[in-house]
Amino acid sequence: MTGYKLYGRAGWGSAIVEAQLAWYGLPFTFEPVDDLFKSPDARARLEKVNPLAQVPTLVLPDGTVMSESAAITLLLADITGTDSLVPGPGAPERARFLRWLVFLVANIYPTFTYADDPARFVSVNTARDPFRAATDAYAQRLWRQVNGEVGAPWFLGKRFSALDIYLAVMTRWRPKRGWFEIEAPRLFAIARHADQRPELAAVWQRNWPA
């Protein structure tokens, strides 16, 4: 296989990896996946590549399958040999980058996993709405914590990084940009700034058509 193959769905978490592939100029094909919450066939097809049937799933040119966006983020930086999205081992921003990369994927990202379709985790129908509300409220508390930690104009201050790509994508999900503008304005400003990166314009347009 030549190039990379990215399994994803417009507007979903695959946009985080798609943006990085575009940033690095790596050749890839996009393999569209139907709504995994609504289509058993889509889940069955993706399970053949990634047993968890999650996006992003990235197949490397040698056939190796990668999942988990943080792992992919670090791997692509290693493959390209550049620190343009991931501060290198000697960079003063390295520790903060790693802390908040893992924070986003280990703490905030799972709130979408659980609350997007509570029926997968909560068997009692009447408990699903309260479960989703509690999970969303917890996510908002975490976002407020992150808002107090970020720099300007980018997450790490003066340098752009993959963290800004995460914010550009994740702030489009619940509770969405309107909430961030009021409740987490520093995150909102970073996301809006990242929206304007010309290197990523085609990715944003494909995932969120105007």
Side-chain angles (χ1 to χ4, degrees):
M1 183 178 76
T2 59
Y4 297 77
K5 179 182 287 188
L6 176 63
Y7 290 82
R9 182 170 174 81
W12 287 32
S14 52
I16 294 168
V17 172
E18 183 182 354
Q20 294 182 57
L21 291 167
W23 176 275
Y24 291 128
L26 294 171
F28 72 97
T29 57
F30 187 84
E31 187 70 26
V33 176
D34 288 338
D35 191 329
L36 294 168
F37 296 124
K38 299 178 180 179
S39 173
D41 288 342
R43 291 191 65 84
R45 286 194 295 271
L46 188 54
E47 282 173 354
K48 295 177 181 178
V49 183
N50 176 358
L52 287 179
Q54 293 177 342
V55 298
T57 295
L58 182 68
V59 182
L60 307 186
D62 66 0
T64 299
V65 175
M66 286 293 296
S67 62
E68 315 310 324
S69 65
I72 295 171
T73 294
L74 298 176
L75 180 67
L76 292 180
D78 289 345
I79 289 172
T80 58
T82 175
D83 65 355
S84 61
L85 291 182
V86 176
E93 306 94 344
R94 175 78 171 185
R96 288 192 68 231
F97 175 87
L98 292 175
R99 177 193 176 187
W100 292 108
L101 175 66
V102 174
F103 186 96
L104 290 174
V105 300
N107 291 291
I108 298 180
Y109 210 107
T111 65
F112 299 103
T113 301
Y114 295 126
D116 281 351
D117 184 11
R120 293 189 297 160
F121 305 99
V122 180
S123 59
V124 180
N125 187 53
T126 56
R128 291 170 186 165
D129 286 345
F131 173 81
R132 179 172 182 169
T135 304
D136 285 347
Y138 177 64
Q140 291 172 20
R141 179 159 65 88
L142 295 175
W143 279 126
R144 289 188 178 97
Q145 178 183 346
V146 179
N147 186 69
E149 296 284 347
V150 298
W154 304 113
F155 196 116
L156 296 177
K158 294 182 179 180
R159 69 171 295 167
F160 183 75
S161 75
L163 295 175
D164 305 302
I165 291 175
Y166 272 86
L167 291 185
V169 173
M170 294 177 71
T171 56
R172 293 179 182 270
W173 304 339
R174 289 191 322 277
K176 298 192 175 181
R177 289 282 178 88
W179 181 90
F180 284 94
E181 185 174 12
I182 296 170
E183 300 292 338
R186 297 170 73 182
L187 300 182
F188 177 79
I190 292 170
R192 290 288 293 146
H193 200 188
D195 290 346
Q196 306 306 315
R197 295 294 307 218
E199 306 93 334
L200 303 175
V203 175
W204 303 149
Q205 175 62 27
R206 199 193 73 77
N207 282 274
W208 294 278

